[in-house]
Amino acid sequence: MACWTSWRRACAPTKSAPTSAEPGASALGEFELIRHYFAAASCARAGEGVVLGIGDDCALLELAAGEQLAVSTDTLVEGVHFPAAAEPFSLGQRALGVSLSDLAAMGAAPIGFTLALTLPRAEPAWLEAFARGLDQMARQCSARLIGGDTTRGPLSLTLTVCGRVPAGQALTRAGAQAGDLLCVGGCLGEGAGALELVLGRRQAKAQVAEALLPRYWAPQPQLALGQALRGKATAALDISDGLLADCGHIATASGVALLVEQARLPLSAALLDLLGEEGARRCALGGGDDYLLAFTLPAEHLHGLQAAGWPLQVIGRVEAGAGVRLLDAQGRALAPPARGYQHFGAAGV
Ligand code: ADP
Ligand code: MG
């Protein structure tokens, strides 16, 4: 939506001088900003499924016969979902990676996304780096920027992603069956471990930091894995709030109990190096920001998927009952560590 007065004020010259390729900051209005940084990005070009992209009142998407549209929205607020003064290239990558992870969880293939951007001021250097980070993740995941909104205010990003999935084949949280295996798509807890470094709470060797930081700043949505699980996994989601909390969502939606075997949690060498075994386990069970898939799988599909090279790890099983239980190697119940993050719950703000 246009709002010229506030944008003229917001676009007063800033310290970071624009390069010759960029419009002058003082002349940068809402529409020039959209055109220069977003409509001109390579991910904003027309592509499969996008009939009409940025520039009109709506984008137009097209599905093939027999497909359904998967849609998800995520908001990232500065100081809540990412640290103040986050590096803009990384922020662009992270914002889109996190959003596309929801499509991965449903077994959908990306078509496009919208970006609602609220900015305190229009700073060319920030916008250029942010748009580049966004574009990199978009091209990597074959997602096209199809529209958005640009407003002035405290920094926040709302991305809505759209994907295609064959009708009736989306992976939902409901459908886990007693007897299924509980699996995850890789090593757990690295996003939460990396956040310790991002927030400056811990120092790490260069090699450990190099391994962990991309897990926070450039989470890779497991889109191919999600699509490979169609017709096989009985329930799935992406882990954003911590393994145990997210398994609770599958347990509730499916009306079953999920058993997590602590000894089977996949922990990376980098995370173990940073936090030791107990700390790494705590991040794996309760830390958020993994953006890996967790899913339930009938045992008959396990070997085929493993033989095809998918990075899946069995961490437990599904039983009749309710809730999530954490078990030690002897099958005895363990007390779970602190719960995953909630914005308005007892554990949240
Ligand atoms: P309207 O007033 O009709 O809502 P706008 O003036 O807000 O439209 O936006 C003009 C066009 O630019 C629309 O196609 C919109 O989707 C697109 N757009 C606005 N902001 C962004 C953004 N941050 N990124 C990508 N496209 C955007
Ligand atoms: Mg309009």
Side-chain angles (χ1 to χ4, degrees), residues 5-339:
T5 18
S6 64
W7 270 102
R8 289 275 175 231
R9 273 201 313 275
C11 297
T14 60
K15 276 189 204 140
S16 46
T19 68
S20 56
E22 292 168 333
S26 57
L28 189 64
E30 178 186 348
F31 298 117
E32 289 99 315
L33 184 161
I34 295 167
R35 209 166 30 241
H36 187 77
Y37 296 103
F38 299 112
S42 64
C43 65
R45 286 189 204 126
E48 203 196 335
V50 182
V51 179
L52 185 63
I54 294 177
D56 218 307
D57 291 307
C58 290
L60 296 173
L61 303 183
E62 193 164 53
L63 294 177
E67 287 182 337
Q68 290 174 326
L69 186 67
V71 181
S72 167
T73 293
D74 276 301
T75 294
L76 300 174
V77 177
E78 183 177 46
V80 179
H81 302 96
F82 59 91
E87 202 267 301
F89 177 85
S90 300
L91 184 59
Q93 283 203 307
R94 174 171 166 78
L96 185 56
V98 164
S99 299
L100 290 171
S101 180
D102 284 324
L103 293 183
M106 299 292 287
I111 302 175
F113 65 101
T114 61
L115 167 69
L117 183 59
T118 303
L119 288 170
R121 64 199 152 269
E123 205 176 288
W126 191 96
L127 281 158
E128 185 276 325
F130 174 78
R132 240 182 333 107
L134 194 77
D135 193 54
Q136 177 145 319
M137 183 61 77
R139 281 184 291 122
Q140 209 172 300
C141 298
S142 302
R144 292 183 172 84
L145 180 57
I146 56 169
D149 198 17
T150 308
T151 54
R152 189 189 187 199
L155 181 59
S156 100
L157 317 165
T158 296
L159 283 87
T160 298
V161 294
C162 301
R164 62 173 84 248
V165 65
Q169 287 190 39
L171 305 171
T172 69
R173 298 173 178 195
Q177 301 282 330
D180 288 347
L181 302 171
L182 174 62
C183 305
V184 290
C187 285
L188 297 164
E190 290 190 312
L195 187 59
E196 295 287 298
L197 303 180
V198 169
L199 296 177
R201 291 197 198 129
R202 276 172 201 269
Q203 304 285 317
K205 296 174 206 153
Q207 203 188 343
V208 169
E210 263 166 43
L212 292 180
L213 285 173
R215 301 301 308 273
Y216 183 82
W217 285 121
Q220 301 295 310
Q222 297 194 296
L223 291 157
L225 176 60
Q227 289 164 52
L229 292 176
R230 290 196 302 233
K232 297 188 173 73
T234 49
L237 48 58
D238 64 319
I239 306 167
S240 54
D241 298 328
L243 176 72
L244 293 179
D246 284 322
C247 282
H249 298 316
I250 293 182
T252 303
S254 298
V256 293
L258 262 51
L259 276 51
V260 176
E261 296 170 48
Q262 181 161 276
R264 302 182 85 167
L265 296 174
L267 304 173
S268 72
L271 190 67
L272 287 164
D273 188 295
L274 181 73
L275 299 176
E277 198 174 330
E278 204 195 317
R281 212 185 284 137
R282 201 172 321 117
C283 278
L285 292 168
D289 292 314
D290 271 322
Y291 301 105
L292 294 172
L293 301 188
F295 51 95
T296 55
L297 188 73
E300 75 213 54
H301 296 303
L302 180 65
H303 294 302
L305 287 166
Q306 279 175 333
W310 293 109
L312 56 90
Q313 307 274 342
V314 178
I315 60 160
R317 61 187 190 276
V318 182
E319 281 189 352
V324 179
R325 291 206 299 283
L326 181 64
L327 305 178
D328 71 9
Q330 284 72 45
R332 291 176 301 221
L334 290 166
R339 300 184 52 198

